């Protein structure tokens, strides 16, 4: 079930809100947990046991870490369990394909169904256990409270990745107000409109141009398709974050922002301070800093960046195109940190040119991300420079797409701008 579906809007959400607000405070968490499990079960009835098993296992891992002496063993077991489950469902088939490619074998590849939201609730569970190990938070003694943290439906499917320490106190007690509900409803509607009006229409154009060989289209056409996807993925993803934050506010929770005008970034580093902020922060706190961060030798720092960005790419999907996408950002960040000199950045003219270059880099990286495979992504990028299509710079199809969807494209660009007031 998705937030923009009629079942969610006209049945699930109203019923949940009514039951939640008429219930006594001591029963509100139970109602919200039951609603979250129903929400998940409607979309993934056969996979809900994986999430529930994750809750129970991490509950006991955290209690054991806090209570017993074998803390490192329990932490390692917890990480192995969580990432092992994620590997089996998301990466096992990909690993078999790599093995077949490298070893020239023909091992059958199993098509394993991917549970919805597993990447998000796995990362939340790992961060919770690590924070208990670090002493940042105490282990949750109430199993239902931990289950609510893991399964909370507003952020279960598409994030943001909520840390336990951010909402631990809110799970125990939170304040409901008319102002909070109104602000949440407004934020939800804003995200809903971004999804339905902008993202869905942009997706029609992007899907059209990314299907088949780029030689079928003109240069203008493939550029229109790629621009539409760059905007679509932003409005799609940020819309779900807006709706999650809005829903959280309607139930008394405060979630951190996940997007802050990413396409206005002045650098690649700045882009990742604005795009999917919760994911960037997760990799920073649980991978990059434990590896040593930037306070190491140059070679070790480059290695740390490589590990983080290859993992970031793989997190998004089990395919070589995602690995390549992560590697592109690794290479760009190494260049930004060790090749682009500080005195160059202080120049206004250079800053303008560099900002434009960053935006183009992000755009081409999205092409690799979206295409059906790495080879298809490279072909698409070449088509944007006129490699295919018999030198056709434009065609009737591209003009028709602009005529039919141009208004959505213009609106999407406008609402990315700071003067629109809604660039986040």
């Amino acid at each position: 079930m998705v937030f923009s579906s009629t079942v969610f809007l006209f049945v699930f959400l109203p019923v949940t809100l009514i039951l939640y607000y008429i219930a006594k405070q001591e029963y509100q968490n139970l109602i919200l947990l039951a609603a979250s499990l129903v929400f998940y079960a409607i979309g993934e009835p056969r996979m809900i046991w994986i999430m529930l098993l994750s809750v129970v296992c991490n509950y006991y891992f955290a209690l054991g870490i806090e209570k017993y002496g074998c803390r490192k063993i329990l932490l390692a077991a917890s990480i192995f369990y969580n990432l092992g489950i994620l590997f089996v469902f998301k990466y096992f088939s990909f690993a078999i394909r790599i093995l077949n490619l490298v070893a020239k074998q023909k091992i059958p590849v199993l098509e394993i169904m991917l549970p919805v939201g597993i990447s998000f609730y796995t990362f939340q569970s790992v961060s919770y256990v690590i924070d208990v190990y670090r002493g940042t938070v105490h282990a949750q003694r109430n199993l239902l409270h931990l289950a609510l943290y893991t399964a909370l439906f507003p952020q279960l499917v598409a994030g943001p990745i909520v840390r336990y320490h951010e909402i631990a106190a809110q799970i125990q007690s939170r304040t409901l107000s008319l102002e909070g509900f109104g602000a949440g409803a407004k934020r939800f509607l804003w995200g809903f409109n971004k999804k339905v009006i902008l993202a869905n229409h942009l997706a029609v154009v992007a899907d059209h141009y990314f299907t088949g060989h780029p030689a079928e289209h003109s240069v203008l056409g493939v550029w229109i398709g790629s621009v539409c996807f760059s905007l679509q993925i932003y409005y799609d993803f940020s819309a779900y974050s807006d709706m999650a934050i809005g829903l959280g506010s309607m139930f008394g929770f405060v979630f951190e922002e996940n997007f802050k005008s990413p396409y206005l970034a002045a650098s690649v580093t700045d882009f990742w301070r604005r795009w999917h902020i919760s994911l960037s922060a997760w990799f920073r706190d649980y991978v990059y800093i434990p590896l040593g961060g930037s306070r190491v030798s140059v070679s070790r720092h480059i290695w740390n960046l490589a590990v983080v960005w290859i993992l970031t790419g793989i997190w998004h999907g089990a395919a070589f195109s995602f690995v390549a996408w992560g590697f592109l950002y690794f290479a760009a960040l190494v260049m930004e940190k060790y090749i682009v000199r500080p005195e160059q950045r202080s120049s206004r003219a250079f800053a303008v040119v560099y900002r434009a270059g960053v935006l183009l880099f992000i755009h081409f990286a999205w092409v690799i991300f979206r295409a059906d495979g790495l080879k298809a992504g490279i072909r698409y990028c070449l088509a944007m420079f006129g490699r295919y299509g018999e030198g056709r710079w434009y065609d009737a199809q591209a003009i028709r797409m602009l005529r039919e969807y141009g208004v959505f494209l213009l609106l999407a660009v406008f609402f990315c701008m700071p003067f629109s007031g809604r660039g986040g």
Side-chain angles (χ1 to χ4, degrees), residues 115-338:
V116 172
I118 189 171
S119 296
F120 289 95
Y121 69 72
T122 296
F123 270 33
Q124 290 192 178
S125 298
V126 169
S127 68
Y128 163 67
V129 177
I130 291 176
D131 285 350
V132 171
Y133 174 81
R134 292 174 174 176
T136 307
V137 298
H138 291 293
Q140 175 58 257
R141 263 61 181 175
N142 188 322
L143 180 61
L144 295 182
H145 284 184
L146 185 63
L148 180 60
Y149 161 69
T150 305
L152 191 59
F153 77 86
Q155 47 78 54
L156 174 62
V157 175
I161 300 173
V162 178
R163 312 279 192 88
Y164 179 73
H165 70 83
E166 295 172 352
I167 64 167
Q170 298 177 54
I171 290 175
Q172 299 289 343
S173 176
R174 51 195 174 275
T175 302
L176 299 176
S177 67
L178 186 61
E179 292 79 9
F181 183 92
K186 184 178 179 181
R187 184 67 179 268
F188 177 86
L189 287 173
W190 171 244
F192 177 83
N193 288 328
K194 285 167 70 175
K195 167 63 178 170
V196 174
I197 297 175
L198 295 179
N200 285 0
H201 286 92
L202 293 168
V204 173
V205 182
D207 290 346
H208 173 77
Y209 282 106
F210 277 92
T211 301
H213 198 287
E216 300 169 5
H217 310 294
S218 66
V219 174
L220 176 61
V222 293
W223 271 96
I224 291 171
S226 62
V227 170
C228 282
F229 177 71
S230 290
L231 292 167
Q232 177 218 329
I233 192 170
Y234 164 64
Y235 282 106
D236 225 336
F237 204 174
S238 67
Y240 274 106
S241 290
D242 287 334
M243 288 189 278
I245 292 169
L247 287 169
S249 182
M250 292 164 74
F251 289 101
F253 288 93
V254 178
F255 297 150
E256 297 294 327
E257 293 293 335
N258 207 26
F259 290 85
K260 292 182 180 178
S261 304
Y263 290 150
L264 300 180
S267 64
V268 177
T269 303
D270 189 32
F271 175 75
W272 282 99
R273 292 184 184 132
R274 298 164 175 264
W275 179 278
H276 204 344
I277 299 168
S278 61
L279 179 67
S280 302
W282 196 97
F283 274 108
R284 179 196 65 209
D285 294 342
Y286 300 107
V287 180
Y288 181 64
I289 291 177
L291 286 174
S294 60
R295 297 182 179 182
V296 290
S297 65
V298 172
S299 60
R300 181 56 190 268
H301 184 217
I302 291 174
W303 168 255
N304 292 347
L305 288 172
V307 170
V308 168
W309 287 101
I310 297 302
L311 290 177
T312 301
I314 294 173
W315 183 86
H316 284 85
F320 289 111
S321 54
F322 295 113
V323 177
W325 179 79
F327 183 83
L328 284 173
Y329 275 102
F330 154 68
L333 286 166
V334 169
M335 183 199 74
E336 198 165 86
K337 294 178 184 301
Y338 290 106

Side-chain angles (χ1 to χ4, degrees), residues 28 75 139-140 226 286 354-355 386:
Q28 287 178 336
L75 175 65
Q140 175 58 257
S226 62
Y286 300 107
Y354 191 74
R355 186 187 292 264

